[in-house]
Amino acid sequence: MSDPGDPNYDIPDSEDQKPDNNQLDEKVASLQKSVDRLCYKFDEFVTTQSQTPNGQQLVQDDFTTDFSKDENEERGNWSGRLDFILSCLGYAVGLGNVWRFPYLCYRNGGAVFFIPYVIMLVFVGIPIFFMELSLGQFASQGPLTCWRFASMFTGIGVAMVIVSALVAIYYNMIIAWSFYYLFASFTSYLPWQDCNNAWNTEFCSKNLKPAANCTDLGFREGQNGVCYNGSSVYGLWNASVAKANGITPRPASEEYLYGRVWRLYDSEGLHDIGTLHWDLALCLLLAWVIIFFSLIRGIKSSGKVVYFTAIFPYVVLVILLVRGLTLEGYYSGIEFYILKPNITKLYEAAVWKDAAVQIFFSLSASWGGLIALSSYNRFHNNALRDSLIVSISNCLTSFFAGFVIFSFLGYLANELGVEVGEVADGGIGLAFVVYPRAVSLIPGATFWAILFFVMLITLGLDSEFALVETVVTSIIDVAPRLRKYKTWVVLVTAVILYLLGLLLCTDGGAYYLQLMDEYSGGWNVMLIAFLECIAICYVYGFGRFKEDIRIMIGDYPCCCIPWDGIYWWWAITWGFITPVGVGFIMVFSWIQYQPLVFGSYVYPDWGLVLGWLMTMVVVVGLFIPLVYYMVVAEGSLGERFLSIASPRIDWGPALPKHRALVTYVPGFVRDPHGKDTMQMENGIPNDAFNFNTHDNPNGIHNPAFEKEAKSRF
């Protein structure tokens, strides 16, 4: 006899048991058949659950390794296991890892700098990183719409999108410069190797001759330390006097950057924009075309591109390190980088501030990109594991890149007969002046130049992908109807940002880029991070957030370490240490504020006002939604405030099957949009079973949450 639990089981026909005229028995038999099938389906649902270590019952498909289909069909998910990790790694590991971190190390005591650096990583960097990944993954929403747990904080998302858009404008210009250098490198003689070009000045180092005996040569000694042959510069008769007058020999590579690439010699400052240069505009267009085609299908396309752009820089760094360690004088560079620790630096507050700022911005925290990228994760992705992998890998990359850079700087110093400190530089100067200068002195300079600038391009593209994806994701999350037109959204976004970036292709473009870099993503980003901690821990509640994380990553997210044994760490960091650390950076930045200068150029007051306007646009964006929601809310002032500080009915996981796991919140609505299409075979809707009530006899037993919800808070 067949098992009644078998889906093919049939109740014996009524005519085999009763007379044909007994219609009542037929109805009973039919009803019994429906009940048997209903029970079988329910048993099948329960028995096919995947038990997490805490006993929580999760649908088996949630942990599938089949990336050929999306878990969230409407929004989409990453198509490969490593797509997300590589995208985050590429977003975090950017140009700053190569051109800023090594410089900070040597400036702040060498190896000693790693002490505050690691401390800030543990207490500030990783906590913010993990918080943002968890938030985006849990809600499956981008930075503009993930604040439905408290609408009053929607401004955080607005500010993130503004920051990402501003940074995307000038960051892609730096990639365009890298393309310019790359194309210029396809020659047997690099254009920044000599001073015999139209863009070179009379103070180009290779044009200056020894002139200590200027008068003996029959030339005139100027009071500025310059030796003149008539009206022409012959050399410097007194380098100290010349330096005091702002005159120093300029390396050919510096003059190439200032005179040929930037055309900065043709501009007197912000007020003198000058001419738009078609070659720079075309390089910028090329950068945006690559961004467009990489994001044309959203994460489906960018997730594949990062397999090259995120991994290739490491291949190049290894190759460059091997080459650097074969150069004469490399050891002096390595020694200068890390082998001369100065323990007294730990007593200087500026060192701790530098470490915190570097960690904070190196991980690209609070720009919205991490939330945008994680919003495409499958619900049960291990966000904690990914946070640790990416954060630690990012910092190790910075450390490793330092050996590469300083091995070449040691060689350059040896060739020029000067100390390493005289050629060491940070920022743009290292990437586009010092390193090209060092490369030009190496046999096979063309090959090494091409390799280096391809690496810079790939480093920059990953970060730019995430910046633009943040803007696009936010637009589509606000207007879901645009999801099927995502290609057009990407195109329009790219065109607008490209047109805004054309200002940076003018004679005075470098002045504006420096202004944007200084003010668009400074202390205002730290204010965003501070408010994130307040919103999660003190408004939404850490108790509820830790349970949100638990149902995503399970009870044992880190090997054998239980979540119950480590969540207190996140409570301490998110609730106290991280916001205090971020607040310290902000206050220290205000105390140490100095008006922006660019080389010898001092920005005018109206230029500084323009910079502060960029900062304040972000800050104002933080609070406009708060005012708006307070105005449109109903009730008394207190009732309005309570309303916008409480979760909306649609807050939570995107899919009903995952919302069903939120059993620790009484009254949590499983399917607020009525999109749950899973039905029982007999037509009874599945919400006949209340997944949200602990004591409902029809509810699914969940040992992980047997305690009352209030005990979780």
Side-chain angles (χ1 to χ4, degrees):
M1 183 175 181
S2 61
D3 184 356
D6 190 330
N8 297 317
Y9 169 78
D10 287 321
I11 298 295
D13 293 335
S14 57
E15 60 266 23
D16 294 337
Q17 303 175 40
K18 300 288 181 181
D20 292 342
N21 61 355
N22 195 337
Q23 299 297 321
L24 178 61
D25 284 348
E26 275 190 350
K27 293 294 185 182
V28 172
S30 177
L31 180 61
Q32 181 63 46
K33 179 178 179 180
S34 297
V35 172
D36 285 343
R37 286 184 173 177
L38 179 62
C39 292
Y40 176 82
K41 282 293 183 181
F42 182 79
D43 289 340
E44 182 183 43
F45 179 82
V46 173
T47 57
T48 58
Q49 305 300 297
S50 176
Q51 294 283 336
T52 60
N54 67 353
Q56 197 172 342
Q57 295 167 344
L58 306 175
V59 180
Q60 198 167 15
D61 282 347
D62 291 342
F63 294 97
T64 180
T65 56
D66 179 14
F67 286 87
S68 62
K69 61 181 180 180
D70 290 335
E71 179 182 74
N72 187 333
E73 295 181 357
E74 179 180 353
R75 183 180 182 82
N77 298 107
W78 296 101
S79 299
R81 186 179 300 278
L82 295 178
D83 291 16
F84 172 66
I85 292 180
L86 290 178
S87 295
C88 282
L89 186 61
Y91 180 41
V93 177
L95 298 172
N97 296 75
V98 173
W99 72 26
R100 178 170 171 80
F101 177 80
Y103 175 75
L104 289 177
C105 269
Y106 103 82
R107 194 181 73 178
N108 291 306
V112 170
F113 183 67
F114 283 95
I115 298 176
Y117 185 72
V118 172
I119 290 175
M120 289 299 176
L121 169 66
V122 173
F123 290 102
V124 176
I126 294 178
I128 290 290
F129 202 96
F130 179 44
M131 175 192 289
E132 293 193 351
L133 291 196
S134 299
L135 180 61
Q137 180 174 310
F138 180 76
S140 294
Q141 292 290 328
L144 203 55
T145 51
C146 68
W147 309 98
R148 291 172 178 169
F149 64 82
S151 299
M152 63 186 294
F153 291 107
T154 302
I156 295 178
V158 174
M160 286 177 167
V161 174
I162 295 174
V163 169
S164 292
L166 288 173
V167 174
I169 294 172
Y170 77 80
Y171 203 83
N172 223 17
M173 189 69 235
I174 298 175
I175 298 174
W177 295 342
S178 300
F179 273 118
Y180 193 99
Y181 271 85
L182 176 64
F183 298 145
S185 299
F186 285 95
T187 177
S188 58
Y189 193 78
L190 298 176
W192 55 83
Q193 285 185 266
D194 59 48
C195 295
N196 302 320
N197 305 288
W199 57 82
N200 292 123
T201 69
E202 54 191 2
F203 291 108
C204 188
S205 58
K206 292 190 177 182
N207 288 339
L208 296 176
K209 302 176 181 61
N213 54 345
C214 181
T215 55
D216 294 340
L217 296 172
F219 303 139
R220 176 175 59 87
E221 293 182 352
Q223 293 183 351
N224 58 1
V226 178
C227 179
Y228 292 96
N229 180 7
S231 60
S232 301
V233 173
Y234 179 81
L236 302 180
W237 69 269
N238 191 317
S240 299
V241 174
K243 186 175 182 179
N245 285 274
I247 300 173
T248 56
R250 296 170 182 163
S253 58
E254 179 182 316
E255 294 220 327
Y256 181 78
L257 175 64
Y258 280 70
R260 183 68 184 95
V261 181
W262 289 348
R263 279 80 162 188
L264 208 59
Y265 295 150
D266 298 326
S267 174
E268 297 179 357
L270 288 178
H271 65 283
D272 185 14
I273 296 176
T275 306
L276 175 67
H277 299 287
W278 65 268
D279 48 359
L280 286 178
L282 287 178
C283 287
L284 181 60
L285 178 61
L286 174 61
W288 277 112
V289 168
I290 293 175
I291 295 297
F292 169 69
F293 281 106
S294 297
L295 297 178
I296 193 169
R297 293 181 58 238
I299 60 169
K300 299 298 184 183
S301 51
S302 66
K304 302 309 176 188
V305 175
V306 294
Y307 278 84
F308 172 74
T309 57
I311 296 175
F312 182 74
Y314 290 95
V315 176
V316 176
L317 284 173
V318 171
I319 295 173
L320 291 176
L321 178 62
V322 173
R323 183 67 180 99
L325 295 180
T326 64
L327 297 173
E328 187 176 356
Y330 82 90
Y331 183 79
S332 62
I334 301 298
E335 182 181 38
F336 195 82
Y337 168 48
I338 198 172
L339 299 180
K340 290 184 177 180
N342 182 0
I343 197 69
T344 61
K345 285 286 187 178
L346 292 177
Y347 298 101
E348 299 179 14
V351 174
W352 291 84
K353 180 253 185 182
D354 281 347
V357 169
Q358 177 62 18
I359 279 291
F360 197 85
F361 292 105
S362 176
L363 292 175
S364 302
S366 301
W367 288 13
L370 297 176
I371 296 177
L373 295 177
S374 64
S375 69
Y376 296 103
N377 276 339
R378 283 164 169 73
F379 187 75
H380 292 294
N381 177 69
N382 194 331
L384 177 57
R385 174 203 61 201
D386 293 348
S387 299
L388 296 176
I389 290 175
V390 175
S391 299
I392 296 173
S393 297
N394 171 71
C395 296
L396 291 178
T397 301
S398 299
F399 178 60
F400 179 70
F403 286 96
V404 177
I405 297 301
F406 272 89
S407 64
F408 279 85
L409 294 184
Y411 167 74
L412 177 61
N414 182 73
E415 289 293 303
L416 300 177
V418 298
E419 293 294 326
V420 177
E422 295 183 38
V423 297
D425 196 4
I428 293 174
L430 178 60
F432 296 107
V433 176
V434 178
Y435 192 85
R437 185 183 182 188
V439 165
S440 67
L441 301 175
I442 301 174
T446 297
F447 171 77
W448 298 110
I450 292 173
L451 201 62
F452 177 74
F453 289 114
V454 170
M455 181 189 72
L456 284 189
I457 291 169
T458 53
L459 280 173
L461 284 175
D462 287 330
S463 298
E464 187 71 11
F465 290 159
L467 291 169
V468 178
E469 183 64 50
T470 300
V471 177
V472 172
T473 295
S474 299
I475 294 173
I476 293 176
D477 283 344
V478 171
R481 289 174 296 179
L482 295 176
R483 198 175 303 280
K484 60 182 178 180
Y485 305 110
K486 186 167 186 176
T487 298
W488 290 101
V489 176
V490 175
L491 178 61
V492 171
T493 301
V495 169
I496 292 174
L497 296 182
Y498 169 70
L499 293 176
L500 292 174
L502 288 177
L503 173 65
L504 308 179
C505 299
T506 61
D507 292 337
Y511 292 120
Y512 282 93
L513 186 141
Q514 189 72 18
L515 190 71
M516 295 180 71
D517 183 41
E518 180 72 17
Y519 288 98
S520 61
W523 63 264
N524 48 8
V525 176
M526 289 178 275
L527 179 59
I528 293 174
F530 181 83
L531 292 177
E532 281 184 282
C533 294
I534 300 301
I536 292 293
C537 284
Y538 297 106
V539 177
Y540 183 57
F542 175 79
R544 179 166 173 178
F545 192 54
K546 73 178 176 65
E547 295 304 326
D548 294 342
I549 296 174
R550 185 196 300 273
I551 65 172
M552 289 192 296
I553 65 178
D555 263 352
Y556 289 82
C558 288
C559 300
C560 59
I561 303 176
W563 175 243
D564 282 333
I566 60 175
Y567 74 71
W568 59 269
W569 168 256
W570 307 109
I572 295 172
T573 52
W574 292 338
F576 178 72
I577 298 177
T578 301
V580 168
V582 171
F584 158 75
I585 304 172
M586 281 195 297
V587 173
F588 201 84
S589 299
W590 295 334
I591 294 174
Q592 284 201 327
Y593 172 75
Q594 295 290 335
L596 180 64
V597 296
F598 184 28
S600 59
Y601 177 72
V602 179
Y603 280 76
D605 290 341
W606 69 267
L608 297 177
V609 170
L610 181 61
W612 278 103
L613 283 176
M614 284 188 281
T615 297
M616 295 312 297
V617 164
V618 177
V619 175
V620 171
L622 282 168
F623 298 103
I624 285 182
L626 170 62
V627 175
Y628 169 77
Y629 283 116
M630 281 293 290
V631 171
V632 300
E634 299 178 352
S636 64
L637 186 63
E639 291 172 338
R640 294 184 181 191
F641 185 81
L642 182 62
S643 172
I644 65 175
S646 302
R648 286 171 32 172
I649 191 173
D650 57 349
W651 159 251
L655 302 181
K657 68 177 181 179
H658 296 144
R659 296 180 68 88
L661 301 174
V662 187
T663 57
Y664 45 90
V665 180
F668 188 80
V669 178
R670 175 182 179 183
D671 189 14
H673 302 293
K675 294 183 179 181
D676 193 352
T677 58
M678 185 172 67
Q679 303 286 330
M680 290 300 183
E681 185 174 312
N682 66 345
I684 300 177
N686 58 15
D687 55 359
F689 299 96
N690 191 337
F691 285 79
N692 304 314
T693 305
H694 296 285
D695 55 358
N696 190 319
N698 292 327
I700 291 182
H701 177 61
N702 193 333
F705 302 109
E706 288 181 340
K707 297 181 180 180
E708 294 297 326
K710 62 182 179 180
S711 68
R712 292 290 185 184
F713 296 86

